[in-house]
Amino acid sequence: MSGEAGAIDQAALAPYLEAHVPGFAGLSTIEKFKSGQSNPTYLLTAAGGRYVLRAKPPGQLLKSAHQVDREFRVMRALAGTAVPVPRMLHLSGEESPISRMFYVMEYLDGRVFWDPSLPDAFGNDERAAVYDAMNATLAALHDVDVDAVGLGDFGKPGSYFERQLARWAGQYRASETETIADIDRLVAWLETHMPADDGRISLVHGDYRLDNMMFALDAPKVIAVLDWELSTLGHPFADLAYQCMQWRLPHASGFRGLGGIDRAAAGLPSEEAYFAAYCRRRSLDEIGNWTFFLAFSFFRLAAICQGVYRRALDGNASNPEKAKTYGEAVKLLAALAVELIDKKS
């Protein structure tokens, strides 16, 4: 690859992979996947088969962002658990042949559903089964014994939402491009409505949604959970709220949420049914502070989008054309969150 920001020098990469990835030989092509905004991802085609390479983006990066080494570690740790992940093959150091850290994993042939309304599914029964499989996988993730898989030190224990709010507020301010009144009001509300820590700790994905999963070609079965950049030890309800937020995002937007979709007619579960299925799987009677968890999810996604937008302005986005639309998305997310907290008031 050449002639584009973040292009990979194939001549430099090939001998490195042959020396570090067992069985790797004959690299013939490197193709960048169009999807993804944070860590650029590439399909490697070689004589021995196909592989996937995921790297840090080029340029000046925000502190604690784009930690591909954490992605590698968590997926390697989850191998053999009830949470399906690709097989990890190699993690480079910072002194890599492409001048930025990357990892290589196995290539899996499956389906990725980019539209949460599932127009490409075979029918209502399969649509329902896809969402049920996603729900079951989320519950399984939160049931993982982090000490048993070697992730007991993967994050700080306790005060998860307090620390996360401080982190994302800081990230947002570091990439802020204009004053948005709804964002300022939302941050103030979150700070004054912070729930007490209830002691729940689990591995959390951090960006758990349908298009970060791969399903089998011939069945509504999850074969891989992908994009673990934001994973850490934290509160399981953060993942659940982030997932349920998708029901509230408008379908007719860049987010392609489920808002405005006739879910019953399409065989898709309601937010309430999805929520209840998760609680049933994890033997939970109820979840308090639900408005806070949802509002926090809106803000965190807004902060992520703002970072993507700022990188686009700085010329470092993985998909610059798409990234520039994220500036307006930040305003939409903030408005939806303010509407949510106003209803609670």
Side-chain angles (χ1 to χ4, degrees), residues 64 156 158-174 182-196 230 232-235 238 291-304 337 341:
S64 79
K156 297 179 181 179
S159 304
Y160 173 75
F161 286 104
E162 185 176 348
R163 288 184 288 103
Q164 282 283 296
L165 180 58
R167 174 192 174 183
W168 288 107
Q171 296 276 38
Y172 180 85
R173 299 306 181 192
D182 281 344
I183 286 287
D184 293 340
R185 185 176 169 208
L186 176 58
V187 171
W189 187 92
L190 290 169
E191 289 174 344
T192 57
H193 290 77
M194 181 68 61
L230 299 176
T232 187
L233 297 188
H235 202 293
T291 298
F292 175 90
F293 299 141
L294 283 172
F296 171 79
S297 294
F298 276 108
F299 172 67
R300 198 186 65 140
L301 182 55
I304 292 170
I341 62 178

Side-chain angles (χ1 to χ4, degrees), residues 260-290:
I261 297 292
D262 187 340
R263 296 183 284 276
L268 303 173
S270 65
E271 177 186 338
E272 294 76 15
Y274 192 88
F275 179 96
Y278 173 89
C279 289
R280 184 172 61 253
R281 284 187 162 107
R282 302 205 67 229
S283 301
L284 300 171
D285 294 328
E286 61 180 358
I287 295 178
N289 300 304
W290 187 239

Side-chain angles (χ1 to χ4, degrees), residues 232-243:
T232 187
L233 297 188
H235 202 293
F237 298 164
D239 271 344
L240 180 63
Y242 184 81
Q243 175 76 93

Side-chain angles (χ1 to χ4, degrees), residues 238-261:
D239 271 344
L240 180 63
Y242 184 81
Q243 175 76 93
C244 288
M245 178 181 62
Q246 304 301 315
W247 273 259
R248 298 165 182 262
L249 295 174
H251 186 72
S253 71
F255 293 110
R256 304 294 291 277
L258 290 175
I261 297 292

Side-chain angles (χ1 to χ4, degrees), residues 11-317:
L13 180 64
Y16 176 90
L17 293 182
E18 290 176 0
H20 292 88
V21 178
F24 190 98
L27 177 61
S28 58
T29 61
I30 303 173
E31 181 181 358
K32 185 174 181 292
F33 288 103
K34 293 181 180 179
S35 60
Q37 286 297 318
S38 184
N39 295 324
T41 308
Y42 306 84
L43 173 64
L44 309 182
T45 301
R50 289 185 287 183
Y51 304 80
V52 174
L53 181 150
R54 189 161 163 89
K56 287 187 175 185
Q60 187 68 31
L61 306 177
L62 289 173
K63 183 181 178 181
S64 79
H66 313 286
Q67 294 179 305
V68 295
D69 49 333
R70 285 179 64 82
E71 285 193 296
F72 181 89
R73 180 186 174 188
V74 70
M75 285 190 280
R76 183 172 60 179
L78 287 171
T81 71
V83 182
V85 289
R87 186 162 53 96
M88 297 293 102
L89 301 175
H90 177 70
L91 173 68
S92 79
E94 289 288 359
E95 298 298 324
S96 82
I98 64 172
S99 302
R100 47 199 167 109
M101 183 181 288
F102 69 89
Y103 65 85
V104 177
M105 58 184 169
E106 71 170 323
Y107 171 85
L108 294 174
D109 194 10
R111 295 181 292 173
V112 175
F113 297 113
W114 300 104
D115 187 332
S117 68
L118 299 177
D120 298 327
F122 298 140
N124 284 13
D125 288 346
E126 185 182 37
R127 292 188 187 101
V130 164
Y131 272 84
D132 192 60
M134 181 166 55
N135 188 286
T137 302
L138 182 62
L141 168 62
H142 295 158
D143 282 337
V144 167
D145 184 331
V146 293
D147 291 317
V149 300
L151 293 175
D153 62 346
F154 198 61
K156 297 179 181 179
S159 304
Y160 173 75
F161 286 104
E162 185 176 348
R163 288 184 288 103
Q164 282 283 296
L165 180 58
R167 174 192 174 183
W168 288 107
Q171 296 276 38
Y172 180 85
R173 299 306 181 192
S175 57
E176 190 173 17
T177 52
E178 64 178 303
T179 299
I180 301 175
D182 281 344
I183 286 287
D184 293 340
R185 185 176 169 208
L186 176 58
V187 171
W189 187 92
L190 290 169
E191 289 174 344
T192 57
H193 290 77
M194 181 68 61
D197 183 35
D198 62 5
R200 296 181 189 272
I201 299 174
S202 72
L203 178 62
V204 295
H205 180 275
D207 195 12
Y208 195 85
R209 62 179 196 259
L210 189 63
D211 59 351
N212 277 336
M213 312 181 79
M214 183 174 286
F215 288 77
L217 292 171
D218 57 355
K221 176 185 177 182
V222 181
I223 62 171
V225 180
L226 305 169
D227 197 353
W228 291 85
E229 182 196 353
L230 299 176
S231 61
T232 187
L233 297 188
H235 202 293
F237 298 164
D239 271 344
L240 180 63
Y242 184 81
Q243 175 76 93
C244 288
M245 178 181 62
Q246 304 301 315
W247 273 259
R248 298 165 182 262
L249 295 174
H251 186 72
S253 71
F255 293 110
R256 304 294 291 277
L258 290 175
I261 297 292
D262 187 340
R263 296 183 284 276
L268 303 173
S270 65
E271 177 186 338
E272 294 76 15
Y274 192 88
F275 179 96
Y278 173 89
C279 289
R280 184 172 61 253
R281 284 187 162 107
R282 302 205 67 229
S283 301
L284 300 171
D285 294 328
E286 61 180 358
I287 295 178
N289 300 304
W290 187 239
T291 298
F292 175 90
F293 299 141
L294 283 172
F296 171 79
S297 294
F298 276 108
F299 172 67
R300 198 186 65 140
L301 182 55
I304 292 170
C305 290
Q306 182 64 33
V308 173
Y309 178 55
R310 181 59 182 264
R311 286 199 305 277
L313 296 180
D314 293 343
N316 292 328

